[in-house]
mmCIF file of all heavy atoms in Angstrom:
data_model
loop_
_atom_site.group_PDB
_atom_site.id
_atom_site.type_symbol
_atom_site.label_atom_id
_atom_site.label_comp_id
_atom_site.label_asym_id
_atom_site.label_seq_id
_atom_site.Cartn_x
_atom_site.Cartn_y
_atom_site.Cartn_z
ATOM 1 N N THR A 181 0.841 -1.197 0.000
ATOM 2 C CA THR A 181 0.000 0.000 0.000
ATOM 3 C C THR A 181 0.881 1.254 0.000
ATOM 4 O O THR A 181 1.918 1.322 0.676
ATOM 5 C CB THR A 181 -0.939 0.022 1.223
ATOM 6 O OG1 THR A 181 -0.159 -0.022 2.418
ATOM 7 C CG2 THR A 181 -1.892 -1.160 1.188
ATOM 8 N N LEU A 182 0.446 2.267 -0.749
ATOM 9 C CA LEU A 182 1.145 3.554 -0.824
ATOM 10 C C LEU A 182 0.379 4.637 -0.078
ATOM 11 O O LEU A 182 0.745 5.817 -0.128
ATOM 12 C CB LEU A 182 1.332 3.955 -2.290
ATOM 13 C CG LEU A 182 2.072 2.950 -3.177
ATOM 14 C CD1 LEU A 182 2.174 3.463 -4.607
ATOM 15 C CD2 LEU A 182 3.456 2.641 -2.613
ATOM 16 N N GLY A 183 -0.660 4.220 0.589
ATOM 17 C CA GLY A 183 -1.505 5.126 1.359
ATOM 18 C C GLY A 183 -2.563 4.314 2.058
ATOM 19 O O GLY A 183 -2.619 3.075 1.917
ATOM 20 N N PRO A 184 -3.424 4.932 2.837
ATOM 21 C CA PRO A 184 -4.504 4.184 3.502
ATOM 22 C C PRO A 184 -5.380 3.464 2.472
ATOM 23 O O PRO A 184 -5.709 4.011 1.424
ATOM 24 C CB PRO A 184 -5.292 5.287 4.224
ATOM 25 C CG PRO A 184 -4.310 6.403 4.409
ATOM 26 C CD PRO A 184 -3.446 6.379 3.184
ATOM 27 N N ALA A 185 -5.744 2.240 2.787
ATOM 28 C CA ALA A 185 -6.569 1.439 1.867
ATOM 29 C C ALA A 185 -7.507 0.552 2.661
ATOM 30 O O ALA A 185 -7.530 -0.663 2.525
ATOM 31 C CB ALA A 185 -5.677 0.608 0.947
ATOM 32 N N GLN A 186 -8.302 1.204 3.522
ATOM 33 C CA GLN A 186 -9.188 0.450 4.405
ATOM 34 C C GLN A 186 -10.189 -0.411 3.648
ATOM 35 O O GLN A 186 -10.717 -1.383 4.195
ATOM 36 C CB GLN A 186 -9.956 1.413 5.329
ATOM 37 C CG GLN A 186 -9.086 2.147 6.339
ATOM 38 C CD GLN A 186 -8.651 3.513 5.830
ATOM 39 O OE1 GLN A 186 -8.430 3.687 4.627
ATOM 40 N NE2 GLN A 186 -8.519 4.488 6.734
ATOM 41 N N GLN A 187 -10.470 -0.072 2.379
ATOM 42 C CA GLN A 187 -11.425 -0.857 1.598
ATOM 43 C C GLN A 187 -10.936 -2.281 1.338
ATOM 44 O O GLN A 187 -11.710 -3.151 0.925
ATOM 45 C CB GLN A 187 -11.735 -0.156 0.268
ATOM 46 C CG GLN A 187 -10.584 -0.072 -0.720
ATOM 47 C CD GLN A 187 -9.758 1.191 -0.573
ATOM 48 O OE1 GLN A 187 -9.482 1.619 0.548
ATOM 49 N NE2 GLN A 187 -9.376 1.793 -1.689
ATOM 50 N N LEU A 188 -9.665 -2.540 1.584
ATOM 51 C CA LEU A 188 -9.112 -3.876 1.361
ATOM 52 C C LEU A 188 -9.196 -4.759 2.599
ATOM 53 O O LEU A 188 -8.848 -5.940 2.546
ATOM 54 C CB LEU A 188 -7.644 -3.762 0.913
ATOM 55 C CG LEU A 188 -7.380 -2.903 -0.330
ATOM 56 C CD1 LEU A 188 -5.904 -2.934 -0.689
ATOM 57 C CD2 LEU A 188 -8.233 -3.358 -1.502
ATOM 58 N N TYR A 189 -9.646 -4.178 3.705
ATOM 59 C CA TYR A 189 -9.699 -4.925 4.961
ATOM 60 C C TYR A 189 -10.583 -6.176 4.822
ATOM 61 O O TYR A 189 -11.664 -6.148 4.248
ATOM 62 C CB TYR A 189 -10.259 -4.040 6.080
ATOM 63 C CG TYR A 189 -10.484 -4.784 7.381
ATOM 64 C CD1 TYR A 189 -9.411 -5.189 8.166
ATOM 65 C CD2 TYR A 189 -11.774 -5.096 7.811
ATOM 66 C CE1 TYR A 189 -9.606 -5.877 9.347
ATOM 67 C CE2 TYR A 189 -11.984 -5.793 9.002
ATOM 68 C CZ TYR A 189 -10.897 -6.180 9.756
ATOM 69 O OH TYR A 189 -11.093 -6.867 10.933
ATOM 70 N N GLY A 190 -10.072 -7.265 5.355
ATOM 71 C CA GLY A 190 -10.831 -8.503 5.383
ATOM 72 C C GLY A 190 -10.796 -9.301 4.091
ATOM 73 O O GLY A 190 -11.426 -10.360 4.005
ATOM 74 N N GLN A 191 -10.058 -8.843 3.084
ATOM 75 C CA GLN A 191 -10.026 -9.536 1.797
ATOM 76 C C GLN A 191 -8.668 -10.153 1.475
ATOM 77 O O GLN A 191 -8.607 -11.128 0.723
ATOM 78 C CB GLN A 191 -10.389 -8.569 0.669
ATOM 79 C CG GLN A 191 -11.763 -7.940 0.792
ATOM 80 C CD GLN A 191 -12.034 -6.987 -0.358
ATOM 81 O OE1 GLN A 191 -12.069 -7.386 -1.524
ATOM 82 N NE2 GLN A 191 -12.202 -5.715 -0.040
ATOM 83 N N TYR A 192 -7.595 -9.581 2.016
ATOM 84 C CA TYR A 192 -6.244 -9.987 1.622
ATOM 85 C C TYR A 192 -5.393 -10.282 2.843
ATOM 86 O O TYR A 192 -5.609 -9.729 3.919
ATOM 87 C CB TYR A 192 -5.579 -8.895 0.779
ATOM 88 C CG TYR A 192 -6.373 -8.583 -0.460
ATOM 89 C CD1 TYR A 192 -7.323 -7.559 -0.460
ATOM 90 C CD2 TYR A 192 -6.227 -9.347 -1.608
ATOM 91 C CE1 TYR A 192 -8.086 -7.300 -1.588
ATOM 92 C CE2 TYR A 192 -6.990 -9.097 -2.734
ATOM 93 C CZ TYR A 192 -7.923 -8.071 -2.719
ATOM 94 O OH TYR A 192 -8.684 -7.833 -3.818
ATOM 95 N N THR A 193 -4.400 -11.155 2.652
ATOM 96 C CA THR A 193 -3.486 -11.500 3.725
ATOM 97 C C THR A 193 -2.370 -10.477 3.816
ATOM 98 O O THR A 193 -1.528 -10.392 2.913
ATOM 99 C CB THR A 193 -2.873 -12.892 3.497
ATOM 100 O OG1 THR A 193 -3.910 -13.871 3.428
ATOM 101 C CG2 THR A 193 -1.907 -13.244 4.619
ATOM 102 N N ALA A 194 -2.336 -9.710 4.892
ATOM 103 C CA ALA A 194 -1.209 -8.816 5.154
ATOM 104 C C ALA A 194 -0.108 -9.652 5.801
ATOM 105 O O ALA A 194 -0.307 -10.210 6.877
ATOM 106 C CB ALA A 194 -1.636 -7.672 6.053
ATOM 107 N N PHE A 195 1.038 -9.761 5.136
ATOM 108 C CA PHE A 195 2.093 -10.643 5.657
ATOM 109 C C PHE A 195 3.401 -9.908 5.898
ATOM 110 O O PHE A 195 4.416 -10.522 6.211
ATOM 111 C CB PHE A 195 2.322 -11.822 4.711
ATOM 112 C CG PHE A 195 2.926 -11.449 3.375
ATOM 113 C CD1 PHE A 195 4.295 -11.496 3.173
ATOM 114 C CD2 PHE A 195 2.109 -11.053 2.329
ATOM 115 C CE1 PHE A 195 4.848 -11.163 1.942
ATOM 116 C CE2 PHE A 195 2.652 -10.725 1.088
ATOM 117 C CZ PHE A 195 4.030 -10.769 0.898
ATOM 118 N N GLY A 196 3.408 -8.566 5.788
ATOM 119 C CA GLY A 196 4.626 -7.822 6.021
ATOM 120 C C GLY A 196 4.376 -6.341 6.177
ATOM 121 O O GLY A 196 3.289 -5.832 5.860
ATOM 122 N N GLU A 197 5.407 -5.638 6.698
ATOM 123 C CA GLU A 197 5.352 -4.190 6.871
ATOM 124 C C GLU A 197 6.666 -3.589 6.394
ATOM 125 O O GLU A 197 7.744 -4.122 6.665
ATOM 126 C CB GLU A 197 5.130 -3.840 8.349
ATOM 127 C CG GLU A 197 3.847 -4.408 8.945
ATOM 128 C CD GLU A 197 3.778 -4.235 10.448
ATOM 129 O OE1 GLU A 197 4.830 -3.906 11.062
ATOM 130 O OE2 GLU A 197 2.693 -4.434 11.025
ATOM 131 N N VAL A 198 6.584 -2.484 5.673
ATOM 132 C CA VAL A 198 7.785 -1.832 5.166
ATOM 133 C C VAL A 198 8.522 -1.152 6.319
ATOM 134 O O VAL A 198 7.932 -0.346 7.055
ATOM 135 C CB VAL A 198 7.435 -0.797 4.078
ATOM 136 C CG1 VAL A 198 8.683 -0.004 3.671
ATOM 137 C CG2 VAL A 198 6.835 -1.498 2.865
ATOM 138 N N LEU A 199 9.811 -1.489 6.475
ATOM 139 C CA LEU A 199 10.647 -0.846 7.483
ATOM 140 C C LEU A 199 11.340 0.386 6.924
ATOM 141 O O LEU A 199 11.506 1.396 7.620
ATOM 142 C CB LEU A 199 11.692 -1.836 8.014
ATOM 143 C CG LEU A 199 11.161 -3.079 8.720
ATOM 144 C CD1 LEU A 199 12.319 -3.986 9.136
ATOM 145 C CD2 LEU A 199 10.326 -2.694 9.931
ATOM 146 N N SER A 200 11.750 0.298 5.663
ATOM 147 C CA SER A 200 12.382 1.439 5.001
ATOM 148 C C SER A 200 12.205 1.296 3.495
ATOM 149 O O SER A 200 12.064 0.187 2.981
ATOM 150 C CB SER A 200 13.875 1.526 5.350
ATOM 151 O OG SER A 200 14.584 0.402 4.829
ATOM 152 N N GLY A 201 12.183 2.442 2.805
ATOM 153 C CA GLY A 201 12.066 2.401 1.349
ATOM 154 C C GLY A 201 10.748 2.922 0.816
ATOM 155 O O GLY A 201 10.472 2.763 -0.377
ATOM 156 N N MET A 202 9.939 3.564 1.651
ATOM 157 C CA MET A 202 8.673 4.103 1.138
ATOM 158 C C MET A 202 8.941 5.163 0.081
ATOM 159 O O MET A 202 8.151 5.321 -0.868
ATOM 160 C CB MET A 202 7.837 4.685 2.274
ATOM 161 C CG MET A 202 7.142 3.650 3.151
ATOM 162 S SD MET A 202 6.121 2.445 2.247
ATOM 163 C CE MET A 202 4.973 3.503 1.362
ATOM 164 N N GLY A 203 10.048 5.884 0.208
ATOM 165 C CA GLY A 203 10.409 6.868 -0.823
ATOM 166 C C GLY A 203 10.678 6.203 -2.160
ATOM 167 O O GLY A 203 10.332 6.743 -3.218
ATOM 168 N N VAL A 204 11.298 5.015 -2.113
ATOM 169 C CA VAL A 204 11.545 4.247 -3.336
ATOM 170 C C VAL A 204 10.226 3.840 -3.974
ATOM 171 O O VAL A 204 10.018 3.989 -5.188
ATOM 172 C CB VAL A 204 12.395 3.004 -3.020
ATOM 173 C CG1 VAL A 204 12.477 2.079 -4.245
ATOM 174 C CG2 VAL A 204 13.783 3.402 -2.569
ATOM 175 N N LEU A 205 9.315 3.354 -3.158
ATOM 176 C CA LEU A 205 8.016 2.918 -3.676
ATOM 177 C C LEU A 205 7.226 4.092 -4.256
ATOM 178 O O LEU A 205 6.565 3.959 -5.291
ATOM 179 C CB LEU A 205 7.215 2.244 -2.563
ATOM 180 C CG LEU A 205 7.779 0.913 -2.049
ATOM 181 C CD1 LEU A 205 7.069 0.484 -0.775
ATOM 182 C CD2 LEU A 205 7.670 -0.175 -3.110
ATOM 183 N N SER A 206 7.298 5.245 -3.598
ATOM 184 C CA SER A 206 6.572 6.418 -4.088
ATOM 185 C C SER A 206 7.146 6.930 -5.396
ATOM 186 O O SER A 206 6.458 7.629 -6.147
ATOM 187 C CB SER A 206 6.612 7.535 -3.029
ATOM 188 O OG SER A 206 5.943 7.130 -1.850
ATOM 189 N N ALA A 207 8.401 6.568 -5.691
ATOM 190 C CA ALA A 207 9.047 7.022 -6.926
ATOM 191 C C ALA A 207 8.823 6.075 -8.100
ATOM 192 O O ALA A 207 9.258 6.359 -9.221
ATOM 193 C CB ALA A 207 10.557 7.190 -6.690
ATOM 194 N N LEU A 208 8.127 4.945 -7.852
ATOM 195 C CA LEU A 208 7.869 4.004 -8.946
ATOM 196 C C LEU A 208 7.003 4.660 -10.023
ATOM 197 O O LEU A 208 6.115 5.467 -9.721
ATOM 198 C CB LEU A 208 7.160 2.756 -8.417
ATOM 199 C CG LEU A 208 7.964 1.855 -7.473
ATOM 200 C CD1 LEU A 208 7.086 0.741 -6.932
ATOM 201 C CD2 LEU A 208 9.203 1.292 -8.167
ATOM 202 N N THR A 209 7.254 4.279 -11.264
ATOM 203 C CA THR A 209 6.516 4.839 -12.395
ATOM 204 C C THR A 209 5.050 4.433 -12.335
ATOM 205 O O THR A 209 4.742 3.238 -12.294
ATOM 206 C CB THR A 209 7.117 4.340 -13.716
ATOM 207 O OG1 THR A 209 8.502 4.678 -13.764
ATOM 208 C CG2 THR A 209 6.404 4.962 -14.913
ATOM 209 N N PRO A 210 4.133 5.402 -12.310
ATOM 210 C CA PRO A 210 2.707 5.041 -12.340
ATOM 211 C C PRO A 210 2.399 4.201 -13.569
ATOM 212 O O PRO A 210 2.853 4.508 -14.677
ATOM 213 C CB PRO A 210 1.999 6.402 -12.390
ATOM 214 C CG PRO A 210 2.977 7.354 -11.758
ATOM 215 C CD PRO A 210 4.331 6.856 -12.200
ATOM 216 N N ARG A 211 1.637 3.150 -13.365
ATOM 217 C CA ARG A 211 1.371 2.218 -14.461
ATOM 218 C C ARG A 211 0.054 1.502 -14.183
ATOM 219 O O ARG A 211 -0.086 0.829 -13.164
ATOM 220 C CB ARG A 211 2.519 1.205 -14.568
ATOM 221 C CG ARG A 211 2.543 0.373 -15.833
ATOM 222 C CD ARG A 211 3.809 -0.476 -15.874
ATOM 223 N NE ARG A 211 3.983 -1.088 -17.171
ATOM 224 C CZ ARG A 211 3.451 -2.256 -17.537
ATOM 225 N NH1 ARG A 211 2.712 -2.930 -16.677
ATOM 226 N NH2 ARG A 211 3.677 -2.751 -18.744
ATOM 227 N N ASN A 212 -0.898 1.651 -15.062
ATOM 228 C CA ASN A 212 -2.202 1.017 -14.887
ATOM 229 C C ASN A 212 -2.687 0.500 -16.234
ATOM 230 O O ASN A 212 -3.470 1.153 -16.915
ATOM 231 C CB ASN A 212 -3.207 2.009 -14.304
ATOM 232 C CG ASN A 212 -4.520 1.335 -13.920
ATOM 233 O OD1 ASN A 212 -4.592 0.117 -13.821
ATOM 234 N ND2 ASN A 212 -5.550 2.131 -13.711
ATOM 235 N N PRO A 213 -2.184 -0.669 -16.664
ATOM 236 C CA PRO A 213 -2.546 -1.197 -17.981
ATOM 237 C C PRO A 213 -4.048 -1.291 -18.173
ATOM 238 O O PRO A 213 -4.763 -1.796 -17.317
ATOM 239 C CB PRO A 213 -1.897 -2.585 -17.980
ATOM 240 C CG PRO A 213 -0.789 -2.488 -16.981
ATOM 241 C CD PRO A 213 -1.307 -1.566 -15.920
ATOM 242 N N GLN A 214 -4.513 -0.803 -19.323
ATOM 243 C CA GLN A 214 -5.922 -0.856 -19.669
ATOM 244 C C GLN A 214 -6.051 -1.175 -21.155
ATOM 245 O O GLN A 214 -5.139 -0.894 -21.929
ATOM 246 C CB GLN A 214 -6.608 0.479 -19.365
ATOM 247 C CG GLN A 214 -6.563 0.899 -17.903
ATOM 248 C CD GLN A 214 -7.212 2.242 -17.672
ATOM 249 O OE1 GLN A 214 -8.359 2.454 -18.049
ATOM 250 N NE2 GLN A 214 -6.481 3.160 -17.062
ATOM 251 N N PRO A 215 -7.183 -1.746 -21.563
ATOM 252 C CA PRO A 215 -7.389 -2.065 -22.973
ATOM 253 C C PRO A 215 -7.209 -0.828 -23.856
ATOM 254 O O PRO A 215 -7.757 0.239 -23.572
ATOM 255 C CB PRO A 215 -8.842 -2.568 -23.021
ATOM 256 C CG PRO A 215 -9.076 -3.107 -21.646
ATOM 257 C CD PRO A 215 -8.313 -2.199 -20.726
ATOM 258 N N GLY A 216 -6.404 -0.989 -24.916
ATOM 259 C CA GLY A 216 -6.214 0.084 -25.878
ATOM 260 C C GLY A 216 -5.183 1.111 -25.486
ATOM 261 O O GLY A 216 -4.915 2.049 -26.240
ATOM 262 N N ILE A 217 -4.575 0.959 -24.293
ATOM 263 C CA ILE A 217 -3.579 1.922 -23.827
ATOM 264 C C ILE A 217 -2.258 1.191 -23.591
ATOM 265 O O ILE A 217 -2.212 0.194 -22.886
ATOM 266 C CB ILE A 217 -4.028 2.604 -22.529
ATOM 267 C CG1 ILE A 217 -5.325 3.385 -22.763
ATOM 268 C CG2 ILE A 217 -2.944 3.533 -21.985
ATOM 269 C CD1 ILE A 217 -5.896 4.010 -21.514
ATOM 270 N N VAL A 218 -1.172 1.700 -24.187
ATOM 271 C CA VAL A 218 0.146 1.117 -23.972
ATOM 272 C C VAL A 218 0.775 1.822 -22.776
ATOM 273 O O VAL A 218 1.081 3.014 -22.849
ATOM 274 C CB VAL A 218 1.044 1.279 -25.209
ATOM 275 C CG1 VAL A 218 2.423 0.684 -24.934
ATOM 276 C CG2 VAL A 218 0.404 0.623 -26.423
ATOM 277 N N PRO A 219 0.952 1.129 -21.654
ATOM 278 C CA PRO A 219 1.490 1.776 -20.453
ATOM 279 C C PRO A 219 2.995 1.964 -20.562
ATOM 280 O O PRO A 219 3.664 1.307 -21.369
ATOM 281 C CB PRO A 219 1.133 0.787 -19.346
ATOM 282 C CG PRO A 219 1.169 -0.550 -20.037
ATOM 283 C CD PRO A 219 0.656 -0.292 -21.429
ATOM 284 N N PRO A 220 3.566 2.836 -19.747
ATOM 285 C CA PRO A 220 5.030 2.968 -19.724
ATOM 286 C C PRO A 220 5.662 1.698 -19.179
ATOM 287 O O PRO A 220 5.000 0.890 -18.517
ATOM 288 C CB PRO A 220 5.253 4.158 -18.778
ATOM 289 C CG PRO A 220 4.036 4.188 -17.910
ATOM 290 C CD PRO A 220 2.909 3.739 -18.790
#
């Protein structure tokens, strides 16, 4: 998760917590593949 995501509660197994590197994750290239769109 890159922010609060309470809507996912009760659906997925949380098996870890980030200790360091949130800045790295926030710098990842936004990418949301969709039909007809070539993502970066």
Side-chain angles (χ1 to χ4, degrees):
T181 59
L182 303 179
Q186 293 94 326
Q187 67 269 41
L188 304 183
Y189 174 72
Q191 300 179 62
Y192 301 93
T193 301
F195 68 94
E197 301 171 347
V198 173
L199 298 178
S200 65
M202 284 307 303
V204 171
L205 293 169
S206 297
L208 293 175
T209 303
R211 193 174 191 273
N212 188 15
Q214 299 178 54
I217 298 176
V218 179

